[in-house]
Amino acid sequence: MADDQQKQNQISIELSEEVAEGEYANLAMIAHSSSEFVIDFIRLMPGLPKAKVKSRVVITPEHAKRLLAALADNVKKFEDSFGEIKHAQEAPSFPMNFGGTVGEA
């Protein structure tokens, strides 16, 4: 019975070739309201005055908390295998506020 229940609860996830290629981003900006978190993944290139948002993901607060836990778990597993991730000496210095409460990663 447990196997039947597990098979019934599984979902099939489709990943197109285009999405599977991924999109490089080296900055994330996060804003939130009472009902959603908006995460913009940005590619910032040295020496260029503009940075492009490469992807925007909108999630619920509950999913934001699950994402936080999943990222923390994966960073721990990565560091257990490959050593501590070092912080860069210098963070980018440019305006970060595009409306609402903002965080960065």
Side-chain angles (χ1 to χ4, degrees):
M1 176 92 180
D3 285 342
D4 290 340
Q5 182 73 22
Q6 190 175 16
K7 285 180 184 175
Q8 189 176 13
N9 289 337
Q10 289 182 348
I11 59 170
S12 177
I13 298 173
E14 184 178 317
L15 180 63
S16 70
E17 283 186 40
E18 182 180 321
V19 173
E21 289 179 15
E23 193 68 64
Y24 179 76
N26 54 5
L27 178 67
M29 293 179 59
I30 305 165
H32 67 273
S33 69
S34 62
S35 61
E36 64 193 16
F37 279 71
V38 178
I39 308 166
D40 284 337
F41 294 94
I42 300 162
R43 183 179 305 158
L44 177 65
M45 301 306 286
L48 296 180
K50 283 188 172 182
K52 289 194 174 192
V53 174
K54 301 308 286 183
S55 182
R56 172 173 279 186
V57 178
V58 181
I59 58 178
T60 66
E62 180 183 358
H63 285 110
K65 198 162 190 178
R66 286 183 186 160
L67 177 61
L68 176 65
L71 281 171
D73 181 54
N74 277 271
V75 166
K76 182 186 180 320
K77 288 175 182 174
F78 178 93
E79 289 183 330
D80 288 348
S81 295
F82 303 105
E84 182 183 355
I85 299 170
K86 306 283 188 223
H87 287 281
Q89 296 292 340
E90 206 175 291
S93 57
F94 45 84
M96 291 294 208
N97 194 345
F98 57 81
T101 305
V102 176
E104 64 175 288

mmCIF file of all heavy atoms in Angstrom, residues 2 8 10 13 16 27 31-32 37-38 56 58 63 65 78 81 90 92-93 97 103:
data_model
loop_
_atom_site.group_PDB
_atom_site.id
_atom_site.type_symbol
_atom_site.label_atom_id
_atom_site.label_comp_id
_atom_site.label_asym_id
_atom_site.label_seq_id
_atom_site.Cartn_x
_atom_site.Cartn_y
_atom_site.Cartn_z
ATOM 1 N N ALA A 2 1.960 1.246 0.729
ATOM 2 C CA ALA A 2 2.824 2.428 0.787
ATOM 3 C C ALA A 2 3.399 2.755 -0.589
ATOM 4 O O ALA A 2 3.516 3.915 -0.953
ATOM 5 C CB ALA A 2 3.943 2.221 1.805
ATOM 6 N N GLN A 8 1.346 7.444 -6.361
ATOM 7 C CA GLN A 8 0.231 8.361 -6.597
ATOM 8 C C GLN A 8 0.636 9.798 -6.267
ATOM 9 O O GLN A 8 0.166 10.740 -6.903
ATOM 10 C CB GLN A 8 -0.967 7.944 -5.741
ATOM 11 C CG GLN A 8 -2.236 8.681 -6.069
ATOM 12 C CD GLN A 8 -3.416 8.160 -5.269
ATOM 13 O OE1 GLN A 8 -3.264 7.420 -4.298
ATOM 14 N NE2 GLN A 8 -4.602 8.542 -5.689
ATOM 15 N N GLN A 10 3.699 11.117 -6.558
ATOM 16 C CA GLN A 10 4.826 11.591 -7.349
ATOM 17 C C GLN A 10 4.335 12.452 -8.511
ATOM 18 O O GLN A 10 3.270 12.210 -9.064
ATOM 19 C CB GLN A 10 5.635 10.419 -7.893
ATOM 20 C CG GLN A 10 6.423 9.694 -6.833
ATOM 21 C CD GLN A 10 7.245 8.562 -7.421
ATOM 22 O OE1 GLN A 10 7.070 8.177 -8.560
ATOM 23 N NE2 GLN A 10 8.148 8.030 -6.626
ATOM 24 N N ILE A 13 8.407 16.034 -13.546
ATOM 25 C CA ILE A 13 8.908 17.385 -13.793
ATOM 26 C C ILE A 13 9.587 17.404 -15.152
ATOM 27 O O ILE A 13 10.488 16.614 -15.423
ATOM 28 C CB ILE A 13 9.887 17.820 -12.684
ATOM 29 C CG1 ILE A 13 9.167 17.849 -11.343
ATOM 30 C CG2 ILE A 13 10.498 19.171 -13.029
ATOM 31 C CD1 ILE A 13 10.058 18.098 -10.165
ATOM 32 N N SER A 16 12.924 21.553 -20.179
ATOM 33 C CA SER A 16 13.230 21.740 -21.600
ATOM 34 C C SER A 16 14.737 21.949 -21.776
ATOM 35 O O SER A 16 15.435 22.337 -20.838
ATOM 36 C CB SER A 16 12.472 22.949 -22.157
ATOM 37 O OG SER A 16 13.003 24.147 -21.614
ATOM 38 N N LEU A 27 24.434 37.989 -9.051
ATOM 39 C CA LEU A 27 23.807 38.858 -8.062
ATOM 40 C C LEU A 27 22.332 38.511 -7.987
ATOM 41 O O LEU A 27 21.712 38.210 -9.012
ATOM 42 C CB LEU A 27 23.960 40.334 -8.483
ATOM 43 C CG LEU A 27 23.318 41.397 -7.601
ATOM 44 C CD1 LEU A 27 24.003 41.466 -6.243
ATOM 45 C CD2 LEU A 27 23.357 42.754 -8.279
ATOM 46 N N ALA A 31 12.952 41.229 -3.029
ATOM 47 C CA ALA A 31 11.965 42.140 -2.457
ATOM 48 C C ALA A 31 10.781 41.291 -2.002
ATOM 49 O O ALA A 31 10.603 40.159 -2.453
ATOM 50 C CB ALA A 31 11.509 43.166 -3.494
ATOM 51 N N HIS A 32 10.013 41.831 -1.079
ATOM 52 C CA HIS A 32 8.848 41.068 -0.637
ATOM 53 C C HIS A 32 7.696 41.980 -0.254
ATOM 54 O O HIS A 32 7.877 43.145 0.074
ATOM 55 C CB HIS A 32 9.200 40.159 0.542
ATOM 56 C CG HIS A 32 9.548 40.901 1.798
ATOM 57 N ND1 HIS A 32 10.830 41.328 2.069
ATOM 58 C CD2 HIS A 32 8.789 41.301 2.825
ATOM 59 C CE1 HIS A 32 10.834 41.951 3.230
ATOM 60 N NE2 HIS A 32 9.600 41.956 3.718
ATOM 61 N N PHE A 37 7.435 36.807 -2.351
ATOM 62 C CA PHE A 37 8.833 37.196 -2.459
ATOM 63 C C PHE A 37 9.157 37.249 -3.939
ATOM 64 O O PHE A 37 8.750 36.373 -4.701
ATOM 65 C CB PHE A 37 9.746 36.169 -1.769
ATOM 66 C CG PHE A 37 9.842 36.335 -0.280
ATOM 67 C CD1 PHE A 37 8.768 36.036 0.542
ATOM 68 C CD2 PHE A 37 11.014 36.787 0.308
ATOM 69 C CE1 PHE A 37 8.849 36.182 1.910
ATOM 70 C CE2 PHE A 37 11.110 36.940 1.681
ATOM 71 C CZ PHE A 37 10.022 36.637 2.484
ATOM 72 N N VAL A 38 9.895 38.275 -4.348
ATOM 73 C CA VAL A 38 10.326 38.415 -5.734
ATOM 74 C C VAL A 38 11.852 38.357 -5.728
ATOM 75 O O VAL A 38 12.514 39.161 -5.076
ATOM 76 C CB VAL A 38 9.848 39.754 -6.342
ATOM 77 C CG1 VAL A 38 10.358 39.897 -7.771
ATOM 78 C CG2 VAL A 38 8.334 39.864 -6.280
ATOM 79 N N ARG A 56 13.430 36.297 -13.203
ATOM 80 C CA ARG A 56 12.674 36.735 -12.021
ATOM 81 C C ARG A 56 11.819 35.561 -11.566
ATOM 82 O O ARG A 56 11.110 34.959 -12.369
ATOM 83 C CB ARG A 56 11.787 37.938 -12.346
ATOM 84 C CG ARG A 56 10.840 38.305 -11.199
ATOM 85 C CD ARG A 56 10.092 39.575 -11.455
ATOM 86 N NE ARG A 56 10.985 40.682 -11.109
ATOM 87 C CZ ARG A 56 10.621 41.958 -11.105
ATOM 88 N NH1 ARG A 56 9.403 42.302 -11.445
ATOM 89 N NH2 ARG A 56 11.479 42.888 -10.758
ATOM 90 N N VAL A 58 8.966 34.494 -8.630
ATOM 91 C CA VAL A 58 8.027 34.982 -7.621
ATOM 92 C C VAL A 58 7.514 33.763 -6.852
ATOM 93 O O VAL A 58 7.025 32.807 -7.461
ATOM 94 C CB VAL A 58 6.846 35.742 -8.268
ATOM 95 C CG1 VAL A 58 5.895 36.270 -7.207
ATOM 96 C CG2 VAL A 58 7.361 36.875 -9.153
ATOM 97 N N HIS A 63 7.135 29.154 0.581
ATOM 98 C CA HIS A 63 8.154 28.587 -0.301
ATOM 99 C C HIS A 63 9.497 29.293 -0.120
ATOM 100 O O HIS A 63 10.547 28.663 -0.274
ATOM 101 C CB HIS A 63 7.699 28.628 -1.756
ATOM 102 C CG HIS A 63 6.674 27.588 -2.064
ATOM 103 N ND1 HIS A 63 5.362 27.908 -2.316
ATOM 104 C CD2 HIS A 63 6.756 26.239 -2.111
ATOM 105 C CE1 HIS A 63 4.680 26.788 -2.524
ATOM 106 N NE2 HIS A 63 5.499 25.761 -2.402
ATOM 107 N N LYS A 65 10.691 30.312 2.691
ATOM 108 C CA LYS A 65 11.283 29.692 3.875
ATOM 109 C C LYS A 65 11.813 28.300 3.551
ATOM 110 O O LYS A 65 12.876 27.894 4.012
ATOM 111 C CB LYS A 65 10.261 29.628 5.009
ATOM 112 C CG LYS A 65 10.896 29.419 6.357
ATOM 113 C CD LYS A 65 9.951 29.792 7.473
ATOM 114 C CE LYS A 65 10.690 29.803 8.788
ATOM 115 N NZ LYS A 65 9.833 30.206 9.888
ATOM 116 N N PHE A 78 27.850 21.046 0.499
ATOM 117 C CA PHE A 78 28.936 21.484 -0.379
ATOM 118 C C PHE A 78 30.200 21.708 0.436
ATOM 119 O O PHE A 78 31.283 21.223 0.074
ATOM 120 C CB PHE A 78 28.534 22.764 -1.120
ATOM 121 C CG PHE A 78 29.617 23.306 -2.012
ATOM 122 C CD1 PHE A 78 29.664 22.956 -3.352
ATOM 123 C CD2 PHE A 78 30.582 24.166 -1.520
ATOM 124 C CE1 PHE A 78 30.657 23.459 -4.180
ATOM 125 C CE2 PHE A 78 31.586 24.666 -2.340
ATOM 126 C CZ PHE A 78 31.620 24.309 -3.676
ATOM 127 N N SER A 81 31.973 18.690 1.642
ATOM 128 C CA SER A 81 32.707 18.000 0.578
ATOM 129 C C SER A 81 33.914 18.775 0.070
ATOM 130 O O SER A 81 34.960 18.192 -0.217
ATOM 131 C CB SER A 81 31.786 17.722 -0.612
ATOM 132 O OG SER A 81 30.768 16.827 -0.255
ATOM 133 N N GLU A 90 35.321 42.255 -1.487
ATOM 134 C CA GLU A 90 34.613 43.495 -1.782
ATOM 135 C C GLU A 90 33.248 43.199 -2.382
ATOM 136 O O GLU A 90 33.130 42.461 -3.347
ATOM 137 C CB GLU A 90 35.447 44.291 -2.788
ATOM 138 C CG GLU A 90 35.216 45.771 -2.723
ATOM 139 C CD GLU A 90 36.174 46.484 -3.668
ATOM 140 O OE1 GLU A 90 37.373 46.496 -3.391
ATOM 141 O OE2 GLU A 90 35.685 47.010 -4.680
ATOM 142 N N PRO A 92 29.776 44.492 -4.349
ATOM 143 C CA PRO A 92 29.474 45.558 -5.307
ATOM 144 C C PRO A 92 28.804 46.737 -4.604
ATOM 145 O O PRO A 92 28.016 46.550 -3.684
ATOM 146 C CB PRO A 92 28.523 44.897 -6.304
ATOM 147 C CG PRO A 92 28.046 43.651 -5.670
ATOM 148 C CD PRO A 92 29.038 43.280 -4.614
ATOM 149 N N SER A 93 29.154 47.943 -5.015
ATOM 150 C CA SER A 93 28.564 49.121 -4.386
ATOM 151 C C SER A 93 27.781 49.912 -5.427
ATOM 152 O O SER A 93 28.343 50.631 -6.234
ATOM 153 C CB SER A 93 29.644 50.006 -3.772
ATOM 154 O OG SER A 93 30.578 50.386 -4.739
ATOM 155 N N ASN A 97 17.977 49.483 -4.085
ATOM 156 C CA ASN A 97 16.559 49.561 -3.784
ATOM 157 C C ASN A 97 15.735 49.832 -5.037
ATOM 158 O O ASN A 97 15.860 50.862 -5.661
ATOM 159 C CB ASN A 97 16.290 50.659 -2.739
ATOM 160 C CG ASN A 97 14.919 50.552 -2.164
ATOM 161 O OD1 ASN A 97 14.056 49.853 -2.700
ATOM 162 N ND2 ASN A 97 14.700 51.224 -1.060
ATOM 163 N N GLY A 103 16.804 42.650 -0.056
ATOM 164 C CA GLY A 103 17.984 41.944 0.425
ATOM 165 C C GLY A 103 18.798 41.574 -0.796
ATOM 166 O O GLY A 103 18.340 41.698 -1.918
#
